[in-house]
Amino acid sequence: MDSGRSLVGVMGGHALQRGSDGYAEAARLGRLLAERGLTVATGGGPGAMEAADLGAFLSAEPETALEAALTSLAEVPSFNPDIGACAAAAFAVIEEHSPGVDSLGIPTWHYGHEPPNPFATAIAQYVRNATREAVLLEVCNAGIVFLPGAGGTVQEIFQDACENYYADESSVAPMVLVGVEHWTGTVPAWPLLSSLAAGRAMEPHVHLVDSVDEAVAVLAP
């Protein structure tokens, strides 16, 4: 993958099922970012990560192609109980639309029960999750969007926040949390993140929004 590209990370919950509104919105996010010339990078797993890679993969196709793919994939909502059926549905979409638009997936063997998704055109898999997380956050030079998630996503938020906390103005990458209710109520990461950012170089680069359209407007106005 060309080192001159601008990579934007999309992080979010692995449990997000195909056919859900959240999955469709994550796919739309991937599409919108890729349409604006950014290369999408994800954790390479299922759920929100798969959706973002799917949206990027189909970003050169008409919107109807993404809608059809979402409908097709919804027939197999999850990798449970049949990983094979889940993968076959994805490969059918890929076969119909190859070669697709480039994106990057960086999964880990640490989550051995979660299959990597095949929509990323470049995949770098790591055994140690700590190494994987560090590399994934480092390559996202155009910023990161954090969709609703839990343990893994929260870890990524604050690992990224720590890097930005100690960075100078020229090195800070934007952080955009999507979902006001989720990040202030369900999993209240935002109050802590905004408190950490106060008075630091990162403060103007940390955002809480309520839609993927707002997130895209921050990263690719």
Side-chain angles (χ1 to χ4, degrees), residues 18 73 84-98 116-119:
R18 298 168 174 176
L73 291 169
C86 180
F91 285 127
V93 172
I94 291 170
E95 184 175 357
E96 182 177 357
H97 297 284
S98 286
N117 84 74
F119 292 114

Side-chain angles (χ1 to χ4, degrees), residues 158-192:
F158 287 104
Q159 189 168 342
D160 192 29
C162 186
E163 293 182 6
N164 281 332
Y165 184 86
Y166 291 108
D168 59 34
E169 178 68 29
S170 65
S171 302
V172 174
M175 301 176 67
V176 185
L177 277 61
V178 179
V180 173
E181 174 58 32
H182 183 82
W183 293 120
T184 61
T186 307
V187 181
W190 175 254
L192 176 54

Side-chain angles (χ1 to χ4, degrees), residues 68-186:
L70 290 170
T71 299
S72 175
L73 291 169
E75 296 178 7
V76 188
S78 173
F79 60 89
N80 284 318
D82 189 340
I83 290 178
C86 180
F91 285 127
V93 172
I94 291 170
E95 184 175 357
E96 182 177 357
H97 297 284
S98 286
V101 173
D102 287 346
S103 66
L104 173 64
I106 306 182
T108 172
W109 290 110
H110 176 75
Y111 301 114
H113 62 291
E114 295 179 11
N117 84 74
F119 292 114
T121 60
I123 296 175
Q125 189 155 13
Y126 287 83
V127 174
R128 293 180 60 86
N129 191 51
T131 305
R132 171 256 198 163
E133 295 283 8
V135 171
L136 178 55
L137 296 173
E138 180 65 27
V139 300
C140 295
N141 59 328
I144 299 177
V145 180
F146 298 93
L147 296 171
T153 310
V154 170
Q155 175 186 336
E156 289 160 345
I157 288 172
F158 287 104
Q159 189 168 342
D160 192 29
C162 186
E163 293 182 6
N164 281 332
Y165 184 86
Y166 291 108
D168 59 34
E169 178 68 29
S170 65
S171 302
V172 174
M175 301 176 67
V176 185
L177 277 61
V178 179
V180 173
E181 174 58 32
H182 183 82
W183 293 120
T184 61
T186 307

Side-chain angles (χ1 to χ4, degrees), residues 56-67:
F57 182 81
L58 295 177
S59 61
E61 302 273 355
E63 286 189 21
T64 52
L66 178 56
E67 293 168 3

